[in-house]
Amino acid sequence: MDDQGSGPLKSIADLARLAGVSVSTVSRALTGKGALNKGTRARIQALADHHGFRMNVAAQNLRLGRTGAIAVLMPLGHARGQQLSDPFFLTMLGYLADALTDRGYDLLLSRVLPDRDDWLDTFIRTGRTDGVIVIGQSDQGAALARAAASYRPLVVWGEQVRGDGPVTVGTDNEAGGRLAAQHLVDRGRRTLAFFGDVGVPEFAARHVGFLAGLPPELRDDVVLVTSPVTSEASEATARDWFAAGNRPDGIFAASDVVALSLIAAAQQQGLQVPQDISIVGFDDIPLARLTRPALSTIRQDIEMGAHHLVDLLVRRIGGEDAGSVQIAPELLVRESS
Amino acid sequence: MDDQGSGPLKSIADLARLAGVSVSTVSRALTGKGALNKGTRARIQALADHHGFRMNVAAQNLRLGRTGAIAVLMPLGHARGQQLSDPFFLTMLGYLADALTDRGYDLLLSRVLPDRDDWLDTFIRTGRTDGVIVIGQSDQGAALARAAASYRPLVVWGEQVRGDGPVTVGTDNEAGGRLAAQHLVDRGRRTLAFFGDVGVPEFAARHVGFLAGLPPELRDDVVLVTSPVTSEASEATARDWFAAGNRPDGIFAASDVVALSLIAAAQQQGLQVPQDISIVGFDDIPLARLTRPALSTIRQDIEMGAHHLVDLLVRRIGGEDAGSVQIAPELLVRESS
DNA sequence: CTGTTAGCGCGTTCAG
DNA sequence: CTGAACGCGCTAACAG
């Protein structure tokens, strides 16, 4: 190395001294903002990356009055055993990480235990990030609406609520439910059931769409089974339900995880899928196409969802009044129906 | 509200004015550091949270010469189709988020595409975090070793390498391989195969342990099949392999995802699991106990792993010279063997 | 026990 | 086109 023996460069002041210019010149050179002689800019930049110098992002952000980070809040609740195993979250996280990086933001991940109902306000007030993305509103609609009322850079993945809820990005869950209904009817199924917790807005919309997509004579006989979202619990629920003698010929599950549990439980009861019973899920998790039988499902476009979430958030940070977005779902027919 | 009409509190200076004290007094009151009259401290604290005031963490960190964040780098490569769907990562992430939060650190998530071999050095040089946790060394041993040579607050989840690699936390993969071997032998299996990519250190160690756990007369006949790690690719590999007429009676897979693909492929060939063939995985992902047959596997204690990763990292940040940790694996016998 | 002062590393007027 | 000076919000000596 041909360092001048003055040690590592800790700040733009060091670099300025080395280059024989002032700190503001270095600042202009490295940020690319402000007018500056082409030559000096190039010279300073060359010097900078020759020494592997990087500006202190924290100081930069402090000066600019921002944090440079976006929080992604998820119910990663292993303690409470929620969707921890749901591959949906990780997929979403991957796409969000990309989209945020492209915009120059860091991704601050925070796990949330919504025990106290002011968890969101508390987080926001710390001012650790320039914006917040919440994945899955679950039953936290009230907390989200309250926070959204006074904090604009907040976007939520989930079902769009009427009234003054937060800005959301999500699949058109009702349309998804209708797709499932029409498909099961096409398959000649008549005795139908819905598995899911309609206390969760997303699932409620899927249920509504499912009923709406059915011919009137079938609609009233649809059984609604309130099922938990985790694999373990939903499988237990399904097992008990089949053991009680229930024998529908078509089931629409609120999520793929629930659908897979249903298949497992049905097979344990000696039922053939799809011969005896058609099962359709929702999400299209990677595993859906690998099980035997492969799962028919309503696909959510997670990549597009992540893209919209970030786009919306960035625009709201910029002061725009960007509104909610719905994404069209898609029916994937595989073996389970 | 009974605000004095002076608007929201933006800094400790505002609070100081309101309380009739100096900024340093407010600083001492809110941080709890330094000597201060009990009464004033309480008074200022009360005033602060009455107004919902929070200190600017960025400024605090700038002054303290730290960032208050830890980076978690993961090969979340949907573009390259890696372990994106592997629930292992999300589980680990959840535990890491908890452990870091407990220590007062933010978790900065960054997705990594290890195309250029200086990805780690580049990230570290930005100085965005006080430390780095890398999940899964994959084939990046060289990059990790190089970074570790000059950057101390770096810990890696994965197999411990001899020589001057980074500090690691990981399961004792060799011991895990031995457990699998002994179990298959106990089951009377004689014609054995290992599915996995031994170019990845973790998998190589599992393979070595597997062979070591076998009686000499079986050892030489073990077939090594280099399998990809994703569901799709590994299932294709398995299908082709079975289709070529290979008929072992016992297989140890380098991961649960691969093991599940093996089961699917075997069943497609009309093979009964475990009657015709025993299959053992590695990880114990949540799904392992839900498939039919439920997967026998070598369990990794992810929670303990996350705990050790954070503990080690924090100690190294503090200047300690803490070394690598290995965690004992556990055999879980279910239905697939 | 509390106030004053001097930076942490950077961006940005305002002069020259 | 470039430099000097000030301040973002906070902490840590050093005085009093």
Side-chain angles (χ1 to χ4, degrees), chain A residues 11-12 24 27 56 60 63:
Chain A
S11 71
I12 58 173
S24 49
S27 171
N56 182 320
Q60 195 169 19
R63 180 60 236 248

Side-chain angles (χ1 to χ4, degrees), chain A residues 229-302:
Chain A
V229 293
T230 60
S231 309
E232 296 82 354
S234 64
E235 199 191 2
T237 301
R239 205 165 32 220
D240 293 349
W241 193 72
F242 282 123
N246 293 289
R247 287 295 180 275
D249 59 12
I251 303 184
F252 174 39
S255 80
D256 282 356
V257 172
V258 173
L260 293 177
S261 298
L262 275 166
I263 293 180
Q267 289 175 336
Q268 279 177 35
Q269 294 287 326
L271 297 173
Q272 299 279 327
V273 182
Q275 291 81 352
D276 300 327
I277 179 172
S278 289
I279 295 179
V280 176
F282 203 109
D283 279 345
D284 190 31
I285 62 178
L287 195 94
R289 44 176 297 287
L290 296 171
T291 53
R292 305 273 307 150
L295 184 65
S296 296
T297 190
I298 309 296
R299 178 171 202 274
Q300 303 204 68
D301 191 335
I302 302 180

Side-chain angles (χ1 to χ4, degrees), chain B residues 273-288:
Chain B
V273 182
Q275 291 81 352
D276 301 328
I277 179 172
S278 288
I279 295 179
V280 176
F282 204 110
D283 278 348
D284 190 31
I285 63 178
L287 194 92

Side-chain angles (χ1 to χ4, degrees), chain B residues 90-204:
Chain B
L90 193 58
T91 309
M92 176 63 93
L93 212 43
Y95 287 119
L96 284 176
D98 281 354
L100 287 172
T101 302
D102 288 348
R103 306 292 192 126
Y105 284 105
D106 284 331
L107 160 26
L108 201 72
L109 181 68
S110 195
R111 185 172 158 284
V112 159
L113 283 178
D115 349 39
R116 299 173 38 194
D117 66 343
D118 63 340
W119 55 272
L120 224 199
D121 311 80
T122 302
F123 181 89
I124 289 172
R125 274 220 314 265
T126 65
R128 291 209 305 261
T129 61
D130 297 334
V132 174
I133 296 175
V134 177
I135 305 298
Q137 50 194 326
S138 177
D139 55 355
Q140 298 295 311
L144 290 169
R146 182 150 36 79
S150 61
Y151 184 74
R152 311 211 63 256
L154 167 68
V155 296
V156 176
W157 170 265
E159 178 68 13
Q160 189 172 351
V161 297
R162 52 198 132 274
D164 43 24
V167 174
T168 60
V169 174
T171 301
D172 186 339
N173 289 300
E174 275 198 43
R178 264 180 267 122
L179 287 175
Q182 284 149 16
H183 173 61
L184 287 175
V185 170
D186 288 348
R187 284 286 196 256
R189 303 310 185 175
R190 306 272 126 189
T191 319
L192 304 173
F194 177 90
F195 264 67
D197 181 352
V198 293
V200 178
E202 288 90 325
F203 299 158

Side-chain angles (χ1 to χ4, degrees), chain A residues 4 7 42 47 85 129 132 134 143 154 171 202 217 231 254 259 302 307 328 330:
Chain A
Q4 308 300 322
L47 203 60
S85 63
T129 61
V132 174
V134 177
L154 167 68
T171 302
E202 288 91 326
E217 66 272 19
S231 309
I302 302 180
H307 178 81
E330 180 189 1

